[in-house]
């Protein structure tokens, strides 16, 4: 049997932009990654001068279908953006800090930081997965059939 390994230490991502908190809640019907380059545990800078841990996914492209993004604090107004598709192309880096699975009965299980459920009005059927999106960069980011609403 293999010996247990020490946990992987997060390394500072010196190329990451400065992000704000809290992370957005990203939901989707589907996600496709093209040309996966790496998945790594990093720390990224925040606007308040601190750093936060994130899982960094680097790829040539990422396409998200049934895109839904909620930006805001758990309480108070939030901006909800939906789109048929969101496509990130060329030198893509996505930074995540959590994954939450919510069942049809409303019970949620979270891996990573606590991420409030999105306020996009989509009810989970069998299972809904929400990602805590710290931020993303790419040479090109495009959306199809977008809608934005401010919720309270």
């Amino acid at each position: 049997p293999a010996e247990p390994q020490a946990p992987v230490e997060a390394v500072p991502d010196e190329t990451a932009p400065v992000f704000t908190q809290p992370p957005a809640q990203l939901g989707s019907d589907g996600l496709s990654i093209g040309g996966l380059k790496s998945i790594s545990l990093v720390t990224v800078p925040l606007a308040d001068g601190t750093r936060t841990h994130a899982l960094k996914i680097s790829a040539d492209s990422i396409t998200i279908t049934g895109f839904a993004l909620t930006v805001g604090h758990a309480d108070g107004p939030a901006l909800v953006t939906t789109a048929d598709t969101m496509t990130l192309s060329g030198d893509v880096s996505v930074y995540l800090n959590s994954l939450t699975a919510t069942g049809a009965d409303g019970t949620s299980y979270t891996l990573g930081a606590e991420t409030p459920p999105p306020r996009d009005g989509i009810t989970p059927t069998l299972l809904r997965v929400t990602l805590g999106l710290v931020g993303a960069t790419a040479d090109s980011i495009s959306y199809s059939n977008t809608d934005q609403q401010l919720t309270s």
Side-chain angles (χ1 to χ4, degrees):
E3 291 292 318
Q5 298 289 322
V8 174
E9 292 291 324
V11 296
D13 184 343
E14 302 301 342
T15 63
V18 175
F19 296 110
T20 60
Q21 290 287 299
Q25 297 90 52
L26 171 62
S28 72
D29 291 335
L31 185 138
S32 173
I33 300 173
L36 180 65
K37 296 177 182 176
S38 66
I39 299 174
S40 53
L41 186 59
V42 299
T43 63
V44 294
L46 298 176
D48 66 4
T50 63
R51 297 186 77 81
T52 191
H53 288 86
L55 184 67
K56 179 182 179 181
I57 301 172
S58 298
D60 291 330
S61 66
I62 295 179
T63 300
I64 301 166
T65 57
F67 172 82
L69 187 72
T70 303
V71 178
H73 293 274
D75 297 322
L79 179 63
V80 178
T81 303
T82 58
D84 290 346
T85 59
M86 175 190 185
T87 304
L88 299 98
S89 303
D91 200 22
V92 176
S93 294
V94 175
Y95 300 88
L96 307 171
N97 78 339
S98 69
L99 181 144
T100 300
T102 305
D105 66 356
T107 303
S108 293
Y109 301 94
T110 300
L111 175 64
E114 282 296 321
T115 301
R119 292 186 260 171
D120 54 21
I122 300 172
T123 304
T125 49
L126 179 60
L127 183 70
R128 170 100 191 262
V129 176
T130 304
L131 303 172
L133 179 66
V134 176
T137 62
D139 292 339
S140 170
I141 300 175
S142 61
Y143 303 86
S144 68
N145 196 27
T146 58
D147 181 64
Q148 288 190 320
Q149 295 181 12
L150 190 60
T151 66
S152 51

